[in-house]
Amino acid sequence: MRTVQKDEIQRVIIKREAKSYKGDFGRLFLIGGTYPYGGAIIMAALAAVHSGAGLVTVATDPDNLTALHSHLPEAMGFDLADQDLLREQIQKASVILVGPGLKESHENLAVLQMIFEQVSSQQVLILDGGAISLFSSSQFDLPEAQLVFTPHQKEWEKLSGLDLTSQTEERSQRAVQHFPKGTVVVEKGPHTRIWTSGTEEGYQLDVGGPYQATGGMGDTLAGMIAGFAGQFPQVSLYERVVVATYLHSAIAEDLSKEAYVVLPTSISKEIPRWMKKWSDFC
Amino acid sequence: MRTVQKDEIQRVIIKREAKSYKGDFGRLFLIGGTYPYGGAIIMAALAAVHSGAGLVTVATDPDNLTALHSHLPEAMGFDLADQDLLREQIQKASVILVGPGLKESHENLAVLQMIFEQVSSQQVLILDGGAISLFSSSQFDLPEAQLVFTPHQKEWEKLSGLDLTSQTEERSQRAVQHFPKGTVVVEKGPHTRIWTSGTEEGYQLDVGGPYQATGGMGDTLAGMIAGFAGQFPQVSLYERVVVATYLHSAIAEDLSKEAYVVLPTSISKEIPRWMKKWSDFC
Amino acid sequence: MRTVQKDEIQRVIIKREAKSYKGDFGRLFLIGGTYPYGGAIIMAALAAVHSGAGLVTVATDPDNLTALHSHLPEAMGFDLADQDLLREQIQKASVILVGPGLKESHENLAVLQMIFEQVSSQQVLILDGGAISLFSSSQFDLPEAQLVFTPHQKEWEKLSGLDLTSQTEERSQRAVQHFPKGTVVVEKGPHTRIWTSGTEEGYQLDVGGPYQATGGMGDTLAGMIAGFAGQFPQVSLYERVVVATYLHSAIAEDLSKEAYVVLPTSISKEIPRWMKKWSDFC
Amino acid sequence: MRTVQKDEIQRVIIKREAKSYKGDFGRLFLIGGTYPYGGAIIMAALAAVHSGAGLVTVATDPDNLTALHSHLPEAMGFDLADQDLLREQIQKASVILVGPGLKESHENLAVLQMIFEQVSSQQVLILDGGAISLFSSSQFDLPEAQLVFTPHQKEWEKLSGLDLTSQTEERSQRAVQHFPKGTVVVEKGPHTRIWTSGTEEGYQLDVGGPYQATGGMGDTLAGMIAGFAGQFPQVSLYERVVVATYLHSAIAEDLSKEAYVVLPTSISKEIPRWMKKWSDFC
């Protein structure tokens, strides 16, 4: 498998054009953080904003909005039960991330259904965490959007049908081909692999480590992927996801030089500095 | 157009007199942050307090007060629906900022109306965001206050009648002349211009850049303008607004040397250090 | 008037004994922060905890508890309307601070009355802000406690009967003598004076400056005074208050070398470092 | 008594295996923080997450969840009154910590009873603060779990029957032997001792000092012990607790070089750096 190379990162994280607007860097819509998992969508939002997203809106439990704003007044936030705002934001967004801290419930299945019905091929749709579980046990057809899945191993089992011991490189690669062409799959684990349907070769991370084995790491990754997906139209969605995933673990590796465990929120704070460093290499 | 010069900054940010009281540095009243935009008024308040405002009071949704105090116990905060406190604060304030995160609604139109009825020529009234939209679609006459508008391009379209492609230097300059003499307009964009009615020449920023293209940047600017408007009576309101706007982007530019995207809240934290630096040059 | 000398500070901030318990450093009870002034008691609590208080309990509006704990999980907090807890804490405390952000209302007058009825001569009772106003317009007799008042100029007018222009050194000194012997008065202003009844000479600060002229500065001072009052039994209450007041402005002065305005919460963060520095001189 | 030696620390805090999952580092379940002690469980959770716990879930008053997530989105949190979630988490957890900020009440006694009924010998059960008081005044038999008690002196009195003056080294050592074999007791005080039933010799800390005499110190220690208990299966539970307790005070001692009082939350922030340092010595 391939590993991410410097020049690939530099093709993605380019200098911004002088004359630009926040709309140019993605309108992100993040859905999740339902009780008792409120923190998950906060971590995703922190990662998205620090990745340079132009606008970030969060739909979550209303009880979760104060903690969201305590961390991040930069994000808008509303009650996930508000159907009108939900529909409006699904339509407005350039990138939809659904799943961090999303409980498996009838209500949330209906949310997923509404997204699948409303989303278009112009939009990036990222399914993470609870959204993968909900989708796997549903009969839904995948919508015509630019799809990204970010399963950990048990979620990959549900999604691909491959049990934990069968998740070899070859079988995962083949399973990915069943998704619509261009779909990106981030198969999370100690050695995360990033696949896209229609291409045989995938990427495997050569950065990151066990200091990342702590709750919230995946939520932060999902937020970074959403942040990158809303920017960098000069490269493919696959390349954006690959570089976001690489950077997430590269930052963790760097922080681990001084820390036995790396907290997800400390990764987010470092993103702007690292993106700057990479964009300067160009 | 003119660019801001060092000596202009130094005429504004002067050393404080030894014997002074918080009342000498402005009683600010900030209105906005209604659901789902609670973070906006928090960012404005952070900017105002860090700019040296003597007293900052916020009227917002009651659900937003805990997040406000989690960031900034220095600010007072109350429910925007409380008519008595609202009237009292409008009368007490030396500077009123209305609009960051203010939803367009009947209730908020009534708030704007009350402000317009109560405000006097001794007070600075800054209209931002939602307040500009509400005003533009209303039939209200402008009150006899020291007015500041901080429109982004679409809001400037509503306010001036100039569509996006017509917002040239010349036409914007002429449009500003329709406002009462002394009104200040901050025409926000990649190259922000600052005008005042009654003067032909305006300022154009030569600092700032695309690292600022992220949600909340304008709310932070509005808060800084309010902070400066409540201080520095030795110069005109126009000069105070010009320097606040300049400093906002100058700080962002400095932070961008180490950051791909500059978060609005990180600008606010840097304001006291920068104001100190400039006040020492005198 | 006297100014605070190094050796006076060193007599107060001494090294702690190796074998000690949190109970040895004060059981503080802080009352205030009622709507819309919630931030005030949070700032007082931050200052008290950072000053080394052993235990800090806050009674405030229940809506204010989340913001308190977001800043300071170290403090306990309960609903000011809870009569049983209120009575219990008044009896348990070694130091009671009442007033930061305390609204003038019938309910809060009743709170003050309960304190006055319950407090004993073993306890320090600090009246600040709203508690001074409530007391001044009440007919209450002062209780037999170790009293501290921390009025700003308008509150001193209410308390002493001296209008703003009459608050000269001589008249203030004489007015203080009307309070029970040993009562400490911190007369806040650009040149804060600290008096005690029964002694002619007072202290005047020669540190601090106009960078402190911002909302919350007095709440932070009140919290520091409470923190010091609960410790340092080797010196008089007067000396503890004098040194707390001095340190508050000395820290602000130091921070002002790098900041045009010094936020109250940034003073609190510096207290442990400064106290350490002073205790090492011994 | 023994003091903790470098090589003992190094046997505990070992390098993590490259291929590991968050489940490998403990599923912690923390119970406490009931009104008015909400901050206590927040401090315990901060300590647990910073100690490297894989997953941390908190059951507390629902009013406390926003402050928890404002500090720590990494933790999950739910309403302690939710019986189903409570039962589920008790069964799932590898480590249960009950007691920081847990009020003595009928409801909480019932919570303790449920834990005692559900817990198994595979699980570590840590009783702290309110849980020790509740247990001491109950008729409950101790469950077949790997038990840890973290009493301060008054709680040790309740638990052992030894009044404060009788808590000598010898008597405490003998009292510990009444607990089931392998039970760990952290006898907190100016010179904290750590015992285990079945072994005669205990440890006494030679680090730490009076800068730790402030509210929340014990909650932070309990969280660290829980964090360590969920990791490091290569050593006994006793060794994990000993090293967590040592590290807690060693960090405080280091911070005290620059601080007169060391806040519990500042200890937590330093844990990852210290654990890294120790793991590198191996």
Side-chain angles (χ1 to χ4, degrees):
Chain A
M1 298 191 74
R2 297 171 60 182
T3 53
V4 181
Q5 303 300 314
K6 272 191 186 179
D7 64 309
E8 294 173 302
I9 302 171
Q10 290 164 10
R11 273 202 307 272
V12 175
I13 309 176
I14 56 171
K15 275 195 165 48
R16 289 182 164 188
E17 289 201 26
K19 188 173 170 172
S20 44
Y21 301 88
K22 53 189 173 187
D24 299 337
F25 304 114
R27 290 177 177 274
L28 270 57
F29 184 34
L30 277 48
I31 302 162
T34 56
Y35 177 84
Y37 308 115
I41 205 71
I42 294 174
M43 288 186 281
L46 279 166
V49 168
H50 283 87
S51 298
L55 278 166
V56 174
T57 301
V58 170
T60 187
D61 276 354
D63 284 349
N64 200 29
L65 293 172
T66 292
L68 171 67
H69 280 145
S70 292
H71 284 279
L72 198 64
E74 284 87 352
M76 284 157 288
F78 68 88
D79 182 356
L80 177 52
D82 185 329
Q83 299 284 316
D84 292 338
L85 274 173
L86 190 59
R87 185 171 292 107
E88 183 190 318
Q89 287 297 322
I90 292 170
Q91 288 167 357
K92 266 188 179 174
S94 60
V95 179
I96 299 168
L97 163 61
V98 56
L102 190 77
K103 201 181 171 174
E104 291 178 63
S105 70
H106 285 292
E107 292 83 357
N108 290 339
L109 188 67
V111 168
L112 195 66
Q113 188 170 18
M114 190 201 276
I115 296 169
F116 276 32
E117 287 168 5
Q118 303 275 335
V119 78
S120 78
S121 61
Q122 305 303 310
Q123 294 173 295
V124 175
L125 175 60
I126 305 164
L127 279 85
D128 177 71
I132 295 178
S133 300
L134 281 166
F135 168 69
S136 299
S137 55
S138 79
Q139 305 292 328
F140 295 170
D141 288 326
L142 283 170
E144 300 243 341
Q146 303 171 48
L147 291 165
V148 180
F149 291 89
T150 54
H152 59 49
Q153 295 178 309
K154 281 185 203 158
E155 290 159 354
W156 185 227
E157 180 175 3
K158 294 181 199 173
L159 205 53
S160 67
L162 298 169
D163 62 35
L164 297 186
T165 54
S166 308
Q167 296 176 5
T168 62
E169 196 180 308
E170 295 72 27
R171 290 188 191 169
S172 283
Q173 189 272 329
R174 263 177 294 159
V176 168
Q177 307 309 321
H178 294 119
F179 290 97
K181 189 161 185 299
T183 299
V184 180
V185 175
V186 180
E187 192 192 345
K188 297 184 294 193
H191 297 291
T192 293
R193 304 172 186 137
I194 311 139
W195 307 100
T196 187
S197 174
T199 309
E200 295 217 350
E201 203 175 16
Y203 285 87
Q204 185 160 47
L205 289 193
D206 57 354
V207 287
Y211 36 81
Q212 290 175 272
T214 191
M217 203 44 79
D219 307 310
T220 296
L221 173 59
M224 284 188 72
I225 290 173
F228 274 64
Q231 301 173 75
F232 313 122
Q234 83 283 0
V235 295
S236 71
L237 175 60
Y238 185 41
E239 290 172 277
R240 289 173 244 166
V241 174
V242 164
V243 168
T245 307
Y246 176 86
L247 192 60
H248 173 260
S249 282
I251 294 174
E253 185 168 298
D254 188 60
L255 292 174
S256 79
K257 291 175 194 157
E258 305 272 338
Y260 188 79
V261 62
V262 175
L263 263 62
T265 44
S266 31
I267 294 178
S268 289
K269 282 177 205 139
E270 292 295 314
I271 302 171
R273 204 167 60 80
W274 277 72
M275 290 181 73
K276 174 64 181 169
K277 220 164 60 179
W278 282 110
S279 73
D280 280 348
F281 276 117
C282 301
Chain B
M1 299 191 73
R2 298 170 61 180
T3 54
V4 181
Q5 304 300 314
K6 273 193 186 179
D7 64 310
E8 294 172 302
I9 302 171
Q10 291 164 9
R11 272 203 306 272
V12 175
I13 309 177
I14 56 171
K15 275 194 166 47
R16 287 181 166 190
E17 289 202 24
K19 190 174 168 170
S20 43
Y21 300 87
K22 54 189 172 186
D24 299 337
F25 304 115
R27 291 177 177 275
L28 269 57
F29 183 35
L30 278 48
I31 301 162
T34 56
Y35 177 84
Y37 308 115
I41 204 72
I42 294 174
M43 289 187 281
L46 280 166
V49 168
H50 283 86
S51 298
L55 280 166
V56 174
T57 301
V58 170
T60 186
D61 276 354
D63 285 350
N64 200 29
L65 293 173
T66 292
L68 171 67
H69 280 146
S70 293
H71 284 280
L72 198 65
E74 284 88 351
M76 284 156 288
F78 68 88
D79 181 356
L80 177 52
D82 186 329
Q83 299 285 314
D84 292 338
L85 274 174
L86 190 59
R87 185 171 293 108
E88 183 190 318
Q89 287 296 323
I90 293 171
Q91 287 167 357
K92 266 190 180 171
S94 60
V95 178
I96 299 168
L97 163 61
V98 56
L102 190 78
K103 202 181 170 174
E104 292 178 60
S105 70
H106 284 292
E107 291 83 357
N108 289 339
L109 188 66
V111 167
L112 195 67
Q113 188 170 18
M114 191 202 276
I115 295 168
F116 276 33
E117 287 168 5
Q118 303 275 337
V119 78
S120 77
S121 61
Q122 304 304 311
Q123 295 173 294
V124 175
L125 174 60
I126 305 165
L127 279 84
D128 178 73
I132 296 178
S133 300
L134 282 166
F135 168 69
S136 299
S137 56
S138 79
Q139 305 292 327
F140 295 170
D141 288 326
L142 283 172
E144 299 242 343
Q146 302 171 48
L147 291 165
V148 180
F149 291 89
T150 56
H152 59 50
Q153 296 179 310
K154 280 185 202 159
E155 289 159 354
W156 185 226
E157 180 175 3
K158 293 181 199 173
L159 205 53
S160 67
L162 298 168
D163 62 34
L164 297 185
T165 54
S166 308
Q167 296 177 3
T168 61
E169 195 181 310
E170 295 72 26
R171 289 188 192 171
S172 283
Q173 190 271 330
R174 263 176 294 160
V176 168
Q177 307 309 320
H178 294 118
F179 291 97
K181 190 160 184 301
T183 299
V184 179
V185 175
V186 180
E187 193 192 343
K188 297 184 294 193
H191 297 292
T192 293
R193 301 171 189 140
I194 312 139
W195 307 100
T196 187
S197 174
T199 309
E200 296 217 349
E201 205 176 13
Y203 284 87
Q204 185 160 47
L205 290 192
D206 57 354
V207 287
Y211 37 82
Q212 289 175 272
T214 190
M217 203 44 79
D219 306 310
T220 296
L221 174 58
M224 284 188 72
I225 290 173
F228 274 64
Q231 300 173 75
F232 313 122
Q234 82 283 1
V235 295
S236 71
L237 176 61
Y238 184 41
E239 289 172 278
R240 290 174 243 165
V241 174
V242 164
V243 169
T245 307
Y246 176 87
L247 192 60
H248 173 261
S249 282
I251 294 174
E253 186 169 297
D254 188 60
L255 292 173
S256 79
K257 291 174 193 158
E258 305 273 338
Y260 188 78
V261 62
V262 175
L263 263 62
T265 45
S266 29
I267 294 178
S268 289
K269 282 176 205 139
E270 291 295 314
I271 301 171
R273 204 167 59 82
W274 277 71
M275 289 180 75
K276 174 65 182 169
K277 219 164 61 179
W278 282 111
S279 73
D280 280 349
F281 275 118
C282 300
Chain C
M1 299 191 76
R2 297 171 61 180
T3 54
V4 181
Q5 304 300 314
K6 274 194 185 177
D7 64 309
E8 294 173 302
I9 302 172
Q10 290 164 10
R11 273 202 306 272
V12 175
I13 309 176
I14 57 171
K15 275 194 167 47
R16 288 180 166 191
E17 289 200 27
K19 189 172 169 170
S20 44
Y21 300 88
K22 54 189 172 187
D24 299 336
F25 303 114
R27 290 176 178 274
L28 269 57
F29 183 34
L30 277 48
I31 302 162
T34 56
Y35 177 83
Y37 308 115
I41 204 72
I42 295 174
M43 289 186 281
L46 280 166
V49 168
H50 283 86
S51 299
L55 280 166
V56 175
T57 301
V58 170
T60 186
D61 275 355
D63 285 350
N64 200 29
L65 293 173
T66 292
L68 171 68
H69 281 146
S70 293
H71 284 279
L72 199 64
E74 284 87 352
M76 285 157 287
F78 69 88
D79 182 355
L80 177 52
D82 186 328
Q83 300 284 315
D84 292 338
L85 275 173
L86 190 58
R87 185 170 294 107
E88 182 189 318
Q89 288 296 322
I90 293 171
Q91 287 167 356
K92 266 190 181 172
S94 59
V95 179
I96 299 169
L97 163 61
V98 55
L102 190 78
K103 203 180 170 175
E104 292 178 61
S105 70
H106 285 292
E107 291 83 357
N108 290 340
L109 189 66
V111 168
L112 195 67
Q113 188 170 19
M114 191 201 277
I115 296 169
F116 276 32
E117 287 168 6
Q118 304 274 337
V119 78
S120 77
S121 61
Q122 305 303 311
Q123 295 173 295
V124 174
L125 174 60
I126 305 164
L127 279 86
D128 178 71
I132 296 179
S133 300
L134 282 166
F135 167 70
S136 300
S137 56
S138 79
Q139 306 290 329
F140 296 171
D141 288 326
L142 283 171
E144 298 243 343
Q146 302 171 47
L147 291 166
V148 180
F149 292 89
T150 55
H152 59 50
Q153 297 179 308
K154 281 183 202 160
E155 290 158 354
W156 185 227
E157 181 175 2
K158 293 182 200 173
L159 205 53
S160 66
L162 299 169
D163 62 36
L164 298 185
T165 53
S166 308
Q167 296 177 2
T168 62
E169 198 181 307
E170 294 73 26
R171 290 188 191 169
S172 282
Q173 191 271 330
R174 264 176 292 160
V176 168
Q177 307 309 321
H178 294 118
F179 291 97
K181 190 160 184 300
T183 299
V184 180
V185 175
V186 181
E187 193 191 345
K188 297 185 293 193
H191 297 292
T192 293
R193 302 172 188 139
I194 312 139
W195 307 100
T196 187
S197 175
T199 309
E200 295 217 350
E201 204 177 14
Y203 284 86
Q204 184 160 46
L205 291 191
D206 57 353
V207 288
Y211 36 82
Q212 289 175 271
T214 191
M217 201 45 78
D219 307 310
T220 295
L221 174 58
M224 284 187 72
I225 290 173
F228 274 64
Q231 302 173 73
F232 313 122
Q234 82 284 1
V235 294
S236 71
L237 175 61
Y238 185 42
E239 288 172 277
R240 291 175 241 165
V241 174
V242 164
V243 168
T245 307
Y246 177 85
L247 193 60
H248 173 261
S249 282
I251 294 175
E253 186 168 298
D254 188 60
L255 293 173
S256 79
K257 291 174 193 158
E258 304 274 336
Y260 189 77
V261 63
V262 174
L263 263 61
T265 45
S266 28
I267 294 179
S268 289
K269 281 176 206 141
E270 292 296 313
I271 301 171
R273 204 166 59 78
W274 277 71
M275 288 181 74
K276 173 65 181 169
K277 222 165 58 180
W278 282 110
S279 73
D280 280 349
F281 275 117
C282 301
Chain D
M1 299 191 74
R2 298 172 59 182
T3 55
V4 181
Q5 303 300 315
K6 273 192 186 179
D7 64 310
E8 294 173 301
I9 302 171
Q10 290 164 10
R11 273 203 306 272
V12 175
I13 309 175
I14 56 171
K15 275 194 166 46
R16 290 181 163 188
E17 289 201 26
K19 189 171 168 173
S20 44
Y21 301 88
K22 53 189 173 187
D24 299 337
F25 303 114
R27 291 177 177 274
L28 269 57
F29 183 34
L30 278 47
I31 302 162
T34 56
Y35 177 83
Y37 308 115
I41 204 72
I42 295 174
M43 289 186 282
L46 280 166
V49 169
H50 283 86
S51 298
L55 279 167
V56 175
T57 301
V58 170
T60 187
D61 276 354
D63 284 350
N64 200 28
L65 293 172
T66 291
L68 171 67
H69 280 147
S70 292
H71 284 280
L72 199 64
E74 284 87 352
M76 284 158 288
F78 67 88
D79 182 355
L80 177 52
D82 186 328
Q83 300 284 316
D84 292 338
L85 274 173
L86 190 59
R87 186 171 291 108
E88 183 189 318
Q89 287 297 322
I90 292 171
Q91 287 166 358
K92 265 188 180 174
S94 60
V95 179
I96 299 169
L97 163 61
V98 55
L102 189 77
K103 202 181 170 173
E104 291 178 63
S105 69
H106 286 291
E107 291 84 357
N108 290 339
L109 188 66
V111 167
L112 195 67
Q113 188 171 18
M114 191 201 276
I115 296 169
F116 275 32
E117 287 168 6
Q118 303 274 336
V119 79
S120 77
S121 61
Q122 305 303 311
Q123 294 173 294
V124 175
L125 175 60
I126 305 164
L127 278 85
D128 177 72
I132 296 179
S133 300
L134 282 165
F135 167 69
S136 300
S137 56
S138 79
Q139 305 291 329
F140 295 171
D141 289 326
L142 284 172
E144 299 243 343
Q146 302 171 47
L147 291 166
V148 181
F149 291 89
T150 55
H152 59 50
Q153 296 179 308
K154 281 184 203 158
E155 290 158 356
W156 185 227
E157 180 175 2
K158 294 181 199 173
L159 206 52
S160 67
L162 298 169
D163 61 37
L164 298 186
T165 55
S166 308
Q167 296 176 5
T168 62
E169 198 181 306
E170 295 71 27
R171 291 189 190 169
S172 283
Q173 190 271 330
R174 265 177 292 160
V176 168
Q177 307 309 322
H178 295 118
F179 291 96
K181 191 162 183 299
T183 298
V184 180
V185 175
V186 181
E187 192 192 346
K188 298 184 293 193
H191 296 291
T192 292
R193 303 173 187 137
I194 312 138
W195 307 100
T196 187
S197 174
T199 308
E200 296 217 351
E201 204 177 15
Y203 284 87
Q204 184 161 46
L205 290 191
D206 57 354
V207 286
Y211 37 81
Q212 289 176 272
T214 191
M217 202 45 76
D219 307 309
T220 296
L221 173 59
M224 284 187 72
I225 289 173
F228 274 64
Q231 302 174 73
F232 314 122
Q234 82 284 359
V235 295
S236 70
L237 175 60
Y238 185 42
E239 289 172 278
R240 290 174 242 164
V241 175
V242 164
V243 168
T245 308
Y246 176 86
L247 192 60
H248 173 260
S249 282
I251 294 175
E253 185 167 298
D254 188 60
L255 292 173
S256 79
K257 291 174 193 157
E258 304 273 338
Y260 188 78
V261 62
V262 174
L263 263 61
T265 44
S266 30
I267 294 178
S268 289
K269 282 175 206 141
E270 291 296 314
I271 302 172
R273 204 167 59 80
W274 276 72
M275 290 181 73
K276 174 64 182 169
K277 222 166 58 179
W278 282 110
S279 74
D280 279 349
F281 275 117
C282 301

